[in-house]
């Protein structure tokens, strides 16, 4: 009964370092999303994927890359971390959003701090 | 102007109070309207959704949509300390390349219910 699992839960990086955030879902969902949540800004879509092997840009994609090599996994990469990327990152998954009774299921977030 | 506006609060009420949470949106083409609840250090979870003007009830919660005013509301009756959370309104928008829909979130309103 895991749902959406995000790894790691917390991380502190230095400016310029790289890292990858992992999202795994066990609900066989086609769609997966990465959001960032900042105080006063709400949730903003970074990248999304509508199926294995596909990715697309969301509202705030700059500085991030993503990959969806397996249907159940969606990776978010920071190639050269910047302090502006300090945030809480949420992954979500869903069936194709044809109707709202197929909601997005969220993980519990990765808290990332860039020094 | 962000497409969904929501007063971030915080909002503090005593137990048993009626709570009103509100959002406005700018694009009249939006069709589906949702409310997500987010507990501290957790991911958002879908609370209610509606797609037409009018009211929808679920226990102590009522979602209301006024498409003529582009105004959506969530009412909580007999509020409980367990209702203390951040409430995010969300609306659906079409993804590029007709790939389905994504969510646009309001900033969220933080509610605290004291016993």
């Amino acid at each position: 009964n895991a749902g959406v699992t995000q790894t790691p839960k917390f991380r502190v990086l230095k400016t310029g370092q790289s890292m990858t955030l992992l999202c795994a879902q066990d609900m066989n969902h086609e769609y997966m999303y990465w959001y960032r949540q900042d105080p006063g800004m709400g949730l903003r879509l970074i990248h999304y994927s509508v199926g294995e092997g596909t990715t697309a840009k969301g509202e705030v994609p700059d500085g991030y890359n993503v990959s969806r090599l397996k249907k159940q996994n969606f990776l978010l990469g920071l190639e050269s971390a910047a302090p502006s990327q300090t945030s809480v990152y949420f992954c979500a998954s869903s069936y194709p959003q044809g109707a709202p009774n197929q909601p997005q299921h969220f993980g519990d977030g990765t808290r990332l701090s860039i020094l | 102007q962000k497409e969904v506006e929501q007063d971030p609060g915080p909002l503090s009420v005593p137990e048993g109070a009626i709570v009103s949470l509100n959002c406005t949106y700018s694009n009249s083409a939006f069709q589906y309207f949702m409310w997500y609840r987010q507990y501290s250090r957790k991911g958002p979870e879908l609370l209610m959704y509606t797609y037409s003007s009018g009211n929808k009830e679920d226990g102590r919660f009522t979602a209301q949509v006024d498409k003529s005013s582009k105004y959506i509301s969530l009412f909580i009756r007999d509020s409980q300390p367990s209702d203390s959370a951040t409430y995010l309104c969300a609306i659906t928008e079409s993804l590029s390349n007709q790939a389905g829909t994504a969510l646009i979130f309001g900033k969220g309103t933080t509610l605290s219910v004291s016993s």
Side-chain angles (χ1 to χ4, degrees):
Chain A
N1 195 23
V4 178
T5 302
Q6 292 185 233
T7 310
K9 298 188 186 307
F10 306 95
R11 187 72 181 266
V12 178
L13 290 178
K14 294 182 179 179
T15 298
Q17 288 185 317
S18 63
M19 80 162 295
T20 300
L21 281 64
L22 173 63
C23 176
Q25 54 95 3
D26 62 2
M27 295 170 283
N28 202 34
H29 285 163
E30 288 291 335
Y31 283 33
M32 296 188 75
Y33 316 80
W34 275 107
Y35 293 90
R36 59 178 291 174
Q37 187 174 38
D38 303 290
M41 299 295 292
L43 279 159
R44 293 181 291 170
L45 183 64
I46 304 171
H47 286 280
Y48 63 93
S49 168
V50 300
E52 182 177 318
T54 74
T55 63
K57 295 179 180 180
E59 180 186 357
V60 288
D62 293 342
Y64 305 95
N65 56 76
V66 287
S67 63
R68 182 99 181 268
L69 298 180
K70 293 183 178 181
K71 184 177 183 179
Q72 63 268 33
N73 295 337
F74 196 27
L75 278 62
L76 178 71
L78 286 73
E79 291 185 347
S80 180
S84 61
Q85 294 177 305
T86 294
S87 187
V88 182
Y89 292 86
F90 286 99
C91 175
S93 70
S94 73
Y95 291 110
Q97 291 274 175
N101 59 348
Q102 297 170 358
Q104 292 188 18
H105 296 262
F106 285 80
D108 285 337
T110 293
R111 284 154 182 78
L112 185 61
S113 181
I114 315 294
L115 303 179
Chain B
Q1 178 188 2
K2 193 169 170 59
E3 292 184 282
V4 181
E5 297 287 347
Q6 182 177 11
D7 185 344
L11 184 61
S12 296
V13 300
E15 183 176 357
I18 296 174
V19 176
S20 173
L21 305 168
N22 308 294
C23 290
T24 59
Y25 62 95
S26 57
N27 189 338
S28 58
F30 293 140
Q31 294 184 320
Y32 295 104
F33 309 91
M34 304 172 199
W35 285 95
Y36 278 76
R37 179 175 59 194
Q38 184 178 20
Y39 290 113
S40 179
R41 298 193 169 273
K42 293 292 186 180
E45 57 179 350
L46 182 66
L47 188 61
M48 294 185 69
Y49 74 91
T50 185
Y51 57 87
S52 60
S53 286
N55 295 349
K56 182 177 181 180
E57 273 193 36
D58 184 1
R60 297 183 294 109
F61 297 88
T62 300
Q64 185 178 82
V65 176
D66 182 347
K67 288 190 173 182
S68 62
S69 302
K70 302 191 185 76
Y71 199 82
I72 59 176
S73 301
L74 178 70
F75 298 97
I76 307 174
R77 292 185 299 279
D78 187 24
S79 56
Q80 303 295 309
S82 58
D83 295 329
S84 298
T86 296
Y87 291 81
L88 303 106
C89 60
I91 55 177
T92 58
E93 71 161 352
S94 296
L95 292 170
S96 60
N97 300 323
Q98 300 179 330
T101 58
L103 293 175
I104 301 176
F105 286 89
K107 295 178 181 178
T109 300
T110 300
L111 172 66
S112 177
V113 182
S114 57
S115 57

